[in-house]
């Protein structure tokens, strides 16, 4: 059986104002959810815990629509970090706080715990195995760049540095396209979790804002043909996934054509869990990767580096003070820990130099730092 898993992810940082978020809900999220309901197409969706809390207040009817599909099994709701963090760039304690906070929101709103995980920008690797397994996750989505990185075996060429001959590495991955369909089991100490891989090129053929099938009606049929070709000749499984904000009132009609056309090829739409269950996992080391293959997009400027350093400083100070304090101080530190969650949103470094991102980010860190200053003046056993 040929299976296609469609996985979407939606999130909005806390600094996005109410009216703008309402426009996003009406112009994107509601249409995406309703189209899958109408066509009865199984799918998977991650809604960040932070966004879910706002949806509960601002658009409870959307939350009800999600619940209805979760109950029938048409929709598999995934987990993530609550406030869209790049997990590999956080300390273990802060990464754990993000994962558990997100899980608590979803258990509270849906009365069930997610078992599949969508990491921010697909920034994930073997190093998160224990964290995610301990939180109850069974499968995590990685980008195909991690699969490429698995296969890099350096060969060498002769180069020159300062006039002297040196050996320079050539990193040329040898990966068959069918490898994107594999399920890899990562094990760290005594914990394991399965990794599945988004096909990067075919995902781009769907979502690319210039040439993708969502944005160009004439690209719909070639995209369907490419998916069918892959499933017929490369592998019987394919996972496509990206930001759900790609589906808007302007692209919804093309998305409908894509879903209807794909169904006409005879494939079976799968949730993340059924996709994972269709292959036998094999042991592998999964390199940390992101959707772009590196963290360079978050470290482009000195200001980026300064913001990341500031976050690490406040995080380290908070974590150090959470050890060995009295009950009342622990409660205060827990409140400050929760206040730090939204400041770990990757949007603060991805949306560069924007006043509405960097200014509240730095102000929030300053407020936590000053609160920690005040606590340091209190008795240790307080």
């Amino acid at each position: 059986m040929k299976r296609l898993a469609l996985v979407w992810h939606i999130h909005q940082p806390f600094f996005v104002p109410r009216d703008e978020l309402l426009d996003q809900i009406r112009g994107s999220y509601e249409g995406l959810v309703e189209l899958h309901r109408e066509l009865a197409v199984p799918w998977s969706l991650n809604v960040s815990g932070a966004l879910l809390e706002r949806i509960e207040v601002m658009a409870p009817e959307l939350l009800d629509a999600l619940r209805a599909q979760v109950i029938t099994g048409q929709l598999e709701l995934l987990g993530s970090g609550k406030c869209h963090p790049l997990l590999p760039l956080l300390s273990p304690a802060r990464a754990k706080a993000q994962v558990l906070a997100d899980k608590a929101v979803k258990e509270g709103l849906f009365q069930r715990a997610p078992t599949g995980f969508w990491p921010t920008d697909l920034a994930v690797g073997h190093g998160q195995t224990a964290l995610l397994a301990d939180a109850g996750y069974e499968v995590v989505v990685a980008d195909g760049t991690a699969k490429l990185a698995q296969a890099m075996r350096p060969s060498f060429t002769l180069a020159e540095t300062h006039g002297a001959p040196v050996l320079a590495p050539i990193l040329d991955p040898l990966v068959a396209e069918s490898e994107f369909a594999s399920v890899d089991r990562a094990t760290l100490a005594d914990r394991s979790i399965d990794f599945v891989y988004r096909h990067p090129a075919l995902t781009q053929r769907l979502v690319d804002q210039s040439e993708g099938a969502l944005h160009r009606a004439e690209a719909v049929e070639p995209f369907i043909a490419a998916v069918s070709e892959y499933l017929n000749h490369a592998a019987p499984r394919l996972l496509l996934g990206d930001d759900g904000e790609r589906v808007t009132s302007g692209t919804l009609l093309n998305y409908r054509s894509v879903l209807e056309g794909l169904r006409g090829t005879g494939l079976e739409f799968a949730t993340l869990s059924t996709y994972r269950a269709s292959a036998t996992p094999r042991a592998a080391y999964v390199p940390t990767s992101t959707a772009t293959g590196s963290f360079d997009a978050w470290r482009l400027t000195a200001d980026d580096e300064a913001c990341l350093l500031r976050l690490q400083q406040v995080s380290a100070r908070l974590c150090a003070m959470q050890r060995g304090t009295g009950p009342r101080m622990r409660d205060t530190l827990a409140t400050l820990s929760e206040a730090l969650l939204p400041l770990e949103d990757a949007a603060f470094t991805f949306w560069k130099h924007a006043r509405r991102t960097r200014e509240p980010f730095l102000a929030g860190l300053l407020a936590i730092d000053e609160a920690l200053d005040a606590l340091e003046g209190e008795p240790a056993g307080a």
Side-chain angles (χ1 to χ4, degrees):
M1 172 60 71
K2 297 175 291 184
R3 288 183 172 87
L4 171 62
L6 293 169
V7 185
W8 295 105
H9 154 74
I10 61 176
H11 167 70
Q12 295 292 321
F14 78 88
F15 54 77
V16 172
R18 175 185 173 84
D19 288 349
E20 188 175 322
L21 178 54
L22 280 172
D23 287 344
Q24 194 72 56
I25 290 170
R26 308 303 182 212
S28 175
Y29 305 153
E30 289 181 343
L32 174 64
V33 174
E34 172 58 23
L35 182 61
H36 274 270
R37 185 205 64 78
E38 179 188 341
L39 299 183
V41 171
W43 60 311
S44 300
L45 175 69
N46 172 54
V47 188
S48 69
L51 178 56
L52 267 175
E53 288 179 331
R54 297 184 75 182
I55 288 174
E56 181 186 18
V57 174
M58 295 171 57
E61 66 282 357
L62 176 57
L63 189 61
D64 290 340
L66 291 172
R67 283 196 186 105
Q69 290 191 38
V70 167
I71 289 170
T72 64
Q74 181 186 345
L75 169 63
E76 179 176 357
L77 192 72
L78 306 183
S80 64
K82 180 180 179 180
C83 296
H84 201 251
L86 292 168
L87 291 178
L89 297 186
L90 298 183
S91 70
R94 294 308 306 165
K96 180 178 180 180
Q98 286 280 353
V99 170
L100 294 184
D102 181 83
K103 186 179 180 184
V105 171
K106 287 163 184 172
E107 286 181 323
L109 293 177
F110 292 89
Q111 286 72 58
R112 65 181 72 189
T115 58
F117 193 85
W118 176 277
T120 300
D121 197 56
L122 300 185
V124 70
H126 213 103
Q128 284 70 59
T129 295
L131 165 66
L132 297 179
D134 287 347
Y137 288 102
E138 299 172 357
V139 57
V140 56
V141 180
D143 190 61
T145 51
K147 176 57 68 175
L148 295 175
Q150 279 183 18
M152 285 186 181
R153 301 291 185 270
S155 57
F156 296 89
T157 186
L158 194 62
E160 188 176 286
T161 300
H162 303 304
V166 297
L167 290 178
I170 302 172
L171 296 176
D172 188 15
L174 300 174
V175 176
E177 195 176 17
S178 60
E179 287 294 294
F180 291 129
S182 65
V183 177
D184 290 336
R185 180 157 292 171
T187 300
L188 194 61
D190 58 347
R191 280 92 96 198
S192 297
I193 194 168
D194 289 345
F195 281 75
V196 295
Y197 301 93
R198 176 182 74 169
H199 193 297
L202 286 175
T203 293
Q204 281 304 302
R205 289 194 63 170
L206 174 64
V207 303
D208 183 81
Q209 291 185 334
S210 298
E211 303 295 333
L214 289 181
H215 298 272
R216 296 175 65 91
E218 64 271 23
V220 170
E221 288 191 12
F223 170 74
I224 293 169
V227 169
S228 184
E229 174 74 12
Y230 179 87
L231 291 171
N232 287 330
H233 300 289
R237 289 173 301 279
L238 175 63
L239 190 151
L240 305 176
D242 208 270
D243 293 343
E245 288 84 4
R246 306 281 196 179
V247 180
T248 67
S249 56
T251 64
L252 193 62
L253 184 60
N254 284 350
Y255 188 45
R256 173 187 290 274
S257 298
V258 165
L259 294 180
E260 292 174 340
L262 288 171
R263 175 171 278 165
T265 67
L267 62 77
E268 176 184 285
F269 289 102
T271 63
L272 185 62
S273 293
T274 55
Y275 176 91
R276 171 226 188 187
S278 67
T280 301
R282 61 188 186 186
Y285 176 80
V286 182
T288 296
S289 182
T290 77
T292 57
S294 74
F295 293 106
D296 288 350
W298 285 267
R299 300 178 181 274
L300 282 176
T301 69
D303 198 65
D304 294 344
E305 293 282 3
C307 285
L308 287 169
L309 177 60
R310 185 79 178 96
L311 176 62
Q312 290 163 4
Q313 290 168 339
V314 174
S315 171
R317 186 182 183 197
L318 174 63
C319 290
M321 290 183 66
Q322 284 181 303
R323 296 188 290 269
T325 58
R328 187 176 65 78
M329 189 175 288
R330 279 200 296 271
D331 289 344
T332 303
L333 289 170
T335 300
L336 293 177
S337 175
E338 188 170 345
L340 186 58
L341 293 173
L343 302 178
E344 292 166 331
D345 194 319
F348 286 116
T349 45
F350 187 75
W351 291 357
K352 300 181 184 304
H353 312 301
R355 188 178 179 195
R356 78 169 184 171
T357 58
R358 295 286 165 97
E359 189 172 311
F361 168 77
L362 293 172
L365 291 177
L366 177 62
I368 293 173
D369 225 11
E370 290 177 339
L372 294 176
D373 285 342
L375 286 177
E376 282 186 334
E378 296 190 12

